[in-house]
Amino acid sequence: MSKRLGILISGRGSNFLAIADAVAQHRLDAEIAVVISNHPDAPGIAVGRERGFQAITLPSKGLDREAYDCQMIEELRKSNVDLVCLAGYMRILSGHFIREFHQRILNIHPSLLPAFPGLDAQHQALDHGAKFSGCTVHFVEEGLDSGPIISQAVVPVLEDDTAESLAARILKEEHRIYPEAIALVLSGQYRIEGRRVIPFRKIFA
Amino acid sequence: MSKRLGILISGRGSNFLAIADAVAQHRLDAEIAVVISNHPDAPGIAVGRERGFQAITLPSKGLDREAYDCQMIEELRKSNVDLVCLAGYMRILSGHFIREFHQRILNIHPSLLPAFPGLDAQHQALDHGAKFSGCTVHFVEEGLDSGPIISQAVVPVLEDDTAESLAARILKEEHRIYPEAIALVLSGQYRIEGRRVIPFRKIFA
């Protein structure tokens, strides 16, 4: 039986749609069980519903982090989620949430971590004068953008880049490596040594 | 007239030899005016002399950083050096030295800065589980491995890499990009905007 994904978004969720495409095209053997947004008007929710997914909003207003995350955990449990994929989810997860889904939460970040963690990573890379940047899929641990790295991709930073043109170039790679990284994790065909994620064999052709 | 390079080493100075090769093969229009090591027995000094360069040792024993750097500045001045290239030079430069050769000191570091500054960068990359690493040529400013980036190159980190095999893969790229970066800086055909080094045109084919 296919493993069940819970995808958390805050905006358009372009990585959610890339994952959905990979599932639809049988490049990724998984089922999107639920898509949840903390923003009621996240464009990704409307698109998700159009495409027939269970897509719900869970507004965080008035709730503290722990209380909110308890609601989120409940929703994910209701949908029997095996793996949680953050796709532009703009809230810090509580330690409680992270322990509840230990090594079953993935995030994608638009830089070659550990360079440029946090917000506006593309802008950071440009301002720093980096000649290359990229994106990173990693396990989520307590600590910002700090968990073991599953996959990375590199793009050049061009002389006439703006943060927007660089972000677009990186996003293309995000859409490619995120489904691949999910496939690897769902397959269980890897081991973790310290911080190193080492695949047993190539899963995703 | 060719610009004059002063190269500082502490060990075998493989990047010094890569620069010397680029000069000999007319890929880099420059003259190596002097090679200086702080270690009396740096293998790069013997090799440098064999190849006919002025190669001297300047032992640092018993001298504080400022006093030592004053001697170093004097040696570089005597040789009419236009640009100082650090090639595995394992001493921190004093602020006095850095101000004396403002934006005329280059260093090469075996990582994609700002990731993995400091010692054992290849080991750091491996332990961090990075999927890509590389090397960076940058201007030297006060602050460790922090000046504007002139050039970078990327290499993959392979599953069976040791720090040594990764270092060897990176070193190959170091030998390629360091002479290119020196050529760009000597040409003056670039501008610096904030931290970004932007070439006017491609100098090095």
Side-chain angles (χ1 to χ4, degrees):
Chain A
M1 221 180 71
S2 292
K3 294 286 180 73
R4 297 171 64 80
L5 306 180
I7 301 181
L8 308 192
I9 67 172
S10 295
R12 67 204 157 113
S14 80
N15 274 299
F16 150 48
L17 297 174
I19 294 165
D21 288 344
V23 170
Q25 295 159 14
H26 306 289
R27 287 182 286 125
L28 173 59
D29 177 18
E31 187 179 328
I32 297 179
V34 64
V35 188
I36 309 177
S37 168
N38 61 318
H39 284 156
D41 49 0
I45 290 297
V47 177
R49 285 176 184 159
E50 273 169 33
R51 292 178 66 159
F53 294 109
Q54 190 197 180
I56 63 181
T57 62
L58 206 59
S60 53
K61 211 172 170 179
L63 294 172
D64 67 21
R65 190 180 310 285
E66 191 94 0
Y68 181 74
D69 278 3
C70 282
Q71 289 194 4
M72 184 67 89
I73 291 166
E74 207 188 306
E75 281 298 337
L76 293 166
R77 291 253 172 261
K78 258 198 279 183
S79 294
N80 279 312
V81 160
D82 297 297
L83 188 70
V84 178
C85 302
L86 311 185
Y89 181 65
M90 301 303 280
R91 278 176 70 88
I92 306 269
L93 297 176
S94 63
H96 175 59
F97 188 110
I98 291 169
R99 285 186 296 274
E100 192 72 18
F101 290 94
H102 178 66
Q103 284 187 352
R104 291 186 297 137
I105 311 169
L106 305 189
N107 184 38
I108 188 155
H109 181 82
S111 77
L112 291 174
L113 290 172
F116 314 124
L119 291 176
D120 289 325
Q122 304 94 335
H123 219 288
Q124 288 184 55
L126 208 61
D127 285 352
H128 195 83
K131 302 298 184 184
F132 294 92
S133 192
C135 49
T136 302
V137 182
H138 62 94
F139 288 105
V140 174
E141 290 189 346
E142 299 185 55
L144 187 66
D145 301 327
S146 70
I149 292 168
I150 300 156
S151 180
Q152 293 186 305
V154 180
V155 306
V157 179
L158 303 182
E159 280 160 36
D160 54 358
D161 261 335
T162 60
E164 290 68 33
S165 63
L166 177 58
R169 192 176 308 119
I170 292 173
L171 198 59
K172 224 169 151 176
E173 294 300 301
E174 293 179 40
H175 294 169
R176 181 175 66 79
I177 70 169
Y178 207 177
E180 291 182 12
I182 293 168
L184 175 67
V185 172
L186 290 182
S187 76
Q189 297 295 303
Y190 63 94
R191 65 186 194 279
I192 301 185
E193 283 179 11
R195 286 188 48 88
R196 296 179 71 183
V197 179
I198 304 175
F200 293 154
R201 56 187 174 83
K202 203 161 169 61
I203 292 300
F204 198 93
Chain B
M1 223 178 70
S2 292
K3 295 285 179 75
R4 298 170 64 80
L5 306 180
I7 302 183
L8 307 193
I9 68 173
S10 295
R12 66 204 158 112
S14 79
N15 273 299
F16 149 49
L17 297 174
I19 295 164
D21 288 344
V23 170
Q25 294 160 14
H26 305 288
R27 287 181 286 125
L28 173 60
D29 178 18
E31 187 178 330
I32 298 179
V34 65
V35 188
I36 309 177
S37 168
N38 61 317
H39 285 155
D41 49 0
I45 289 297
V47 177
R49 283 176 185 159
E50 274 169 32
R51 293 178 66 159
F53 295 110
Q54 190 198 181
I56 63 182
T57 62
L58 207 59
S60 52
K61 211 172 168 180
L63 293 172
D64 67 20
R65 190 180 310 287
E66 191 94 359
Y68 181 74
D69 279 4
C70 282
Q71 290 193 4
M72 184 67 90
I73 291 165
E74 207 188 305
E75 281 299 338
L76 293 166
R77 292 250 171 263
K78 259 199 277 182
S79 293
N80 279 312
V81 160
D82 296 298
L83 187 70
V84 179
C85 302
L86 310 186
Y89 182 65
M90 301 302 281
R91 278 177 68 88
I92 305 268
L93 297 176
S94 63
H96 175 60
F97 188 110
I98 291 169
R99 285 186 296 275
E100 192 72 18
F101 289 95
H102 178 66
Q103 284 187 351
R104 289 185 298 137
I105 312 170
L106 306 188
N107 185 37
I108 187 153
H109 181 81
S111 77
L112 290 174
L113 290 173
F116 314 123
L119 289 178
D120 288 325
Q122 304 95 335
H123 220 289
Q124 288 184 56
L126 208 60
D127 285 353
H128 195 83
K131 303 297 184 185
F132 293 93
S133 191
C135 50
T136 302
V137 182
H138 62 94
F139 287 105
V140 174
E141 289 189 347
E142 299 186 54
L144 187 66
D145 300 328
S146 70
I149 292 169
I150 300 156
S151 181
Q152 293 185 307
V154 180
V155 306
V157 180
L158 303 182
E159 280 160 36
D160 54 358
D161 260 335
T162 59
E164 290 67 33
S165 63
L166 177 59
R169 192 175 308 119
I170 292 172
L171 198 60
K172 223 168 151 178
E173 294 301 301
E174 292 180 39
H175 295 169
R176 182 176 65 81
I177 69 170
Y178 207 177
E180 291 182 11
I182 293 168
L184 175 66
V185 171
L186 290 182
S187 76
Q189 297 295 302
Y190 63 94
R191 64 185 195 280
I192 300 184
E193 283 180 10
R195 286 189 47 88
R196 298 179 69 183
V197 179
I198 304 174
F200 292 154
R201 58 187 172 83
K202 204 163 169 60
I203 292 299
F204 199 92

